[in-house]
Amino acid sequence: MRALRLDAIEVIGWVSLAVVVALYFADRGLSGWTTAAGALKNAGILAGLVATDLMCLTLLLAARIPFVDKAMGHDRALGKHGDLGTWVLSAVLVHGTFLTLAYALGDQTPVWTEFVDLLGFGDYALAVIAGALLLGVAVTSIFLSIKKHLPHELWWGVHLLTYVAVALSIPHQFTMSDMFATGWARAYWIGLYCVSGFALLAFRVLLPLFSSLEHRLVVTSVRHEAPDCVSITMTGKNLHKLDAKAGQFFHWRFLAPGLWWHQHPFSISAAPNGALRITVRSLGKGTAQLMDVKPGTSVFIEGPYGIFSDAARTKDAVVLLGSGVGIAPVRAVLEETETVPGRSLVVLRASTPDGLYLYDEFAMLCAQRGVQLVTLIGRRGSGWTPASHDGLRLADLAPWVADADVFVCGPEAWTDAVLADAQAAGVPSSQIHAERFTW
Amino acid sequence: MSTRAKAAAILASAGVFATVWNVSTASSQTVTTPATTTTATTTTTTTTVTATPTTVESSTATTSTDTGSATTLKDGTYTGITETHRYGSVTVTVTVADGQITKISEDVVSDGDHHSDMINERSIPAIESEVLAANSADVSTISGATYTTQAFLDSLQSALDQAA
């Protein structure tokens, strides 16, 4: 089912590209490519059409459409969102430069003069501003070296300028070209924008808002697992209607002074039976503040998102591996998923024993259900295991791993190493379930 | 992408192309094409936008060649693609009889600026007579009306390509 959904999404993406190319040929046909100016103009127009189409796909991937989330998980959708974003930028740059060059060649004027002349045409100026804004968004998002140094809220503010860029770019598409003046092309283009805008509004803004107002989550207890780690339990109305599965995550916004203006993604760390619990480690300024959350605080949520849950199970055997922030969703999935003694394994990885928070709960659950529990503590080695266990492989711990579902959640590099080991051990990709928490 | 998805994407894209092509060629059949041999003239100058996107060659035509003066033009009436420029757009329809351009008409859309209207009024007749004299699009643009006349010539050339 998941594979079918994924296929559907990829087909829709490629067909949308085919549509814009078809629109180009329907409007301009095959002519114009024989002169330099004509070829530049045609290529520039094509690039612009492709840019808008890819931009809409990018927006749809970030819109948190349930169909998309169920197909690939929100984390992967955001990854593709970022990949497409770089293509959007390239297409926009090609579009702008090629068309300006084409006009300059056609008018036999220097490019700069042509550019300044064109700026007099209002909608062109708006489009140039849009391009500049998009460049700013891209530079702060694509280059991780820059993104790392920005406070998250500042990066987010810049990123939202994309909406402004899209809005400013719309007028010139309708006034500087005849392509969308009338007919099917016009209907399609307007429809494309409407669908994207509607999806964003519905699934990113309205649905979470209504959900938060309906369920009215409130913090009921805060328990310190370790000096730098708390479990926050929340209850609300009709939580069963959220249909959350253990292992899924929400975006949480605690409505308290200093906390209300930022939200964080956390997986629930226990099965959602009448209450939602998250386990948070203090890793930065934002999470440090969460250590002091008081019972009675209201919480706004967005979610549930993610496919890291029992719903992804395909086999009767299971291996769960968690490290760092990934321990929480692993703990949740363990509680809700079926396990067979002798064919179920939990592996917890930490640099120091302090990093094994929720260990007591793991030990109890595993003892009750006959699940093998392995803890690997120590400095990093060459792979995903500690240096003291260099060379230890998944297949050593679970010889039956190729017939098992493998759930992995943890820091990026560690997760990659585990997945590499799993693939080497012959685990098919349909049985591998990983969740990544990169921004 | 799985094999199934690749196949579905290719088939669907081909379907999209075929549909869009059919819809656009069907809607331009109201304009006479080389297949019919009438010399009836079609569009007259109006100030409204062309209703349907005009398409290009029929399946027998080749890709655009250079200036039309070297090749003999086939009789018929042809409409070129709409060329948009900074101040509006031009769509040229040309009638060929006995290998000669006998009639030119155009659909000119102005951006509404009075200055643009003046330029159109002055330059279009001038470029028309140049084209008729040269029997091709191989003429120079009218100074002071570069955008308009260049768009005119581009549109004319795409019409003449259909006649090649």
Side-chain angles (χ1 to χ4, degrees):
Chain A
M1 212 31 228
R2 193 172 96 199
L4 207 58
R5 284 199 186 98
L6 207 52
D7 284 348
I9 290 171
E10 286 177 319
V11 169
I12 290 174
W14 284 105
V15 170
S16 78
L17 267 181
V19 169
V20 297
V21 176
L23 283 179
Y24 170 86
F25 283 110
D27 189 65
R28 298 189 67 79
L30 295 166
S31 72
W33 294 95
T34 46
T35 63
L40 279 173
K41 185 171 178 184
N42 288 349
I45 292 174
L46 260 175
L49 294 171
V50 168
T52 299
D53 181 70
L54 292 183
M55 173 58 92
C56 288
L57 291 179
T58 307
L59 292 173
L60 286 170
L61 280 170
R64 309 207 194 143
I65 301 171
F67 186 83
V68 173
D69 185 48
K70 288 200 178 75
M72 61 176 88
H74 184 56
D75 56 337
R76 234 175 104 188
L78 279 186
K80 289 193 192 291
H81 163 93
D83 293 340
L84 272 186
T86 49
W87 285 100
V88 171
L89 179 73
S90 308
V92 167
L93 288 176
V94 167
H95 169 72
T97 51
F98 276 30
L99 276 176
T100 309
L101 272 172
Y103 285 136
L105 265 177
D107 292 344
Q108 303 282 308
T109 55
V111 182
W112 183 251
T113 318
E114 183 67 42
F115 178 69
V116 171
D117 273 352
L118 282 168
L119 283 179
F121 190 64
D123 293 345
Y124 181 89
L126 289 180
V128 169
I129 296 174
L133 285 175
L134 205 63
L135 193 60
V137 169
V139 161
T140 54
S141 295
I142 296 174
F143 298 105
L144 293 173
S145 46
I146 298 179
K147 185 177 171 187
K148 268 197 323 220
H149 290 113
L150 293 174
H152 181 69
E153 271 63 41
L154 178 63
W155 172 81
W156 179 237
V158 170
H159 208 74
L160 287 182
L161 288 175
T162 310
Y163 288 131
V164 180
V166 171
L168 290 179
S169 73
I170 292 180
H172 89 283
Q173 295 171 24
F174 288 94
T175 60
M176 283 184 83
S177 154
D178 259 358
M179 200 176 288
F180 305 117
T182 58
W184 289 106
R186 183 182 182 83
Y188 180 78
W189 216 237
I190 295 177
L192 194 60
Y193 277 117
C194 284
V195 166
S196 308
F198 173 76
L200 281 163
L201 188 64
F203 296 113
R204 264 197 94 109
V205 180
L206 295 178
L207 203 57
L209 188 61
F210 292 152
S211 179
S212 294
L213 291 174
E214 180 186 348
H215 300 291
R216 296 196 175 281
L217 273 181
V218 169
V219 175
T220 52
S221 77
V222 179
R223 185 180 76 196
H224 278 266
E225 311 282 351
D228 67 337
C229 178
V230 292
S231 283
I232 304 173
T233 306
M234 295 158 274
T235 55
K237 295 185 176 41
N238 297 326
L239 287 185
H240 60 276
K241 279 168 78 175
L242 276 172
D243 201 21
K245 305 229 175 343
Q248 287 194 294
F249 71 96
F250 292 77
H251 288 271
W252 311 84
R253 188 185 296 268
F254 293 88
L255 303 180
L259 289 172
W260 62 268
W261 54 277
H262 47 100
Q263 64 174 22
H264 302 266
F266 294 117
S267 306
I268 52 179
S269 59
N273 296 324
L276 297 177
R277 183 185 82 166
I278 57 175
T279 305
V280 180
R281 289 183 75 188
S282 172
L283 292 170
K285 230 175 51 168
T287 41
Q289 288 178 293
L290 288 176
M291 301 291 114
D292 301 322
V293 160
K294 309 259 177 300
T297 309
S298 289
V299 191
F300 264 30
I301 50 168
E302 296 173 22
Y305 305 124
I307 48 176
F308 193 83
S309 69
D310 174 67
R313 287 291 298 274
T314 60
K315 295 279 181 189
D316 67 332
V318 65
V319 178
L320 297 147
L321 301 108
S323 171
V325 290
I327 287 182
V330 167
R331 157 67 184 83
V333 174
L334 175 63
E335 187 178 342
E336 216 177 59
T337 200
E338 259 190 50
T339 51
V340 174
R343 283 169 72 77
S344 47
L345 166 69
V346 171
V347 178
L348 299 177
R349 171 91 180 86
S351 314
T352 62
D354 288 339
L356 283 184
Y357 55 102
L358 297 181
Y359 177 76
D360 294 337
E361 297 183 14
F362 274 105
M364 191 176 71
L365 280 168
C366 289
Q368 275 175 359
R369 316 231 309 246
V371 174
Q372 193 188 357
L373 176 60
V374 168
T375 56
L376 293 170
I377 304 174
R379 270 180 40 248
R380 213 184 301 187
S382 58
W384 62 270
T385 53
S388 52
H389 289 82
D390 246 345
L392 182 64
R393 294 256 167 290
L394 253 185
D396 299 328
L397 294 168
W400 35 266
V401 71
D403 284 326
D405 282 309
V406 178
F407 285 84
V408 192
C409 192
E412 179 105 26
W414 179 81
T415 305
D416 286 337
V418 175
L419 294 182
D421 189 352
Q423 275 161 351
V427 183
S429 52
S430 57
Q431 286 163 224
I432 296 183
H433 320 288
E435 189 150 75
R436 299 165 186 281
F437 280 118
T438 49
W439 285 117
Chain B
M1 221 162 133
S2 72
T3 325
R4 171 178 63 193
K6 280 200 194 97
I10 292 172
L11 277 173
S13 300
V16 159
F17 270 109
T19 313
V20 173
W21 189 259
N22 279 327
V23 166
S24 55
T25 46
S27 62
S28 70
Q29 226 104 70
T30 51
V31 179
T32 53
T33 60
T36 62
T37 56
T38 69
T39 51
T41 57
T42 51
T43 56
T44 53
T45 45
T46 61
T47 50
T48 56
V49 179
T50 47
T52 55
T54 53
T55 55
V56 204
E57 292 93 19
S58 62
S59 53
T60 55
T62 56
T63 51
S64 58
T65 56
D66 284 21
T67 61
S69 52
T71 56
T72 14
L73 303 166
K74 295 207 281 283
D75 291 1
T77 304
Y78 315 94
T79 302
I81 64 176
T82 304
E83 283 293 338
T84 310
H85 57 92
R86 282 174 59 179
Y87 304 109
S89 71
V90 184
T91 319
V92 174
T93 303
V94 65
T95 304
V96 176
D98 292 329
Q100 296 290 314
I101 300 177
T102 55
K103 185 171 164 59
I104 309 175
S105 62
E106 59 287 315
D107 201 332
V108 176
V109 178
S110 153
D111 63 353
D113 193 300
H114 181 59
H115 187 59
S116 311
D117 295 336
M118 271 173 48
I119 291 181
N120 291 337
E121 243 173 278
R122 173 172 71 77
S123 62
I124 300 281
I127 195 86
E128 272 188 358
S129 55
E130 296 249 353
V131 168
L132 285 170
N135 199 43
S136 80
D138 197 13
V139 302
S140 25
T141 54
I142 310 278
S143 71
T146 319
Y147 299 114
T148 310
T149 49
Q150 185 58 58
F152 181 98
L153 291 173
D154 289 341
S155 181
L156 172 71
Q157 185 58 58
S158 71
L160 292 177
D161 290 345
Q162 301 171 46

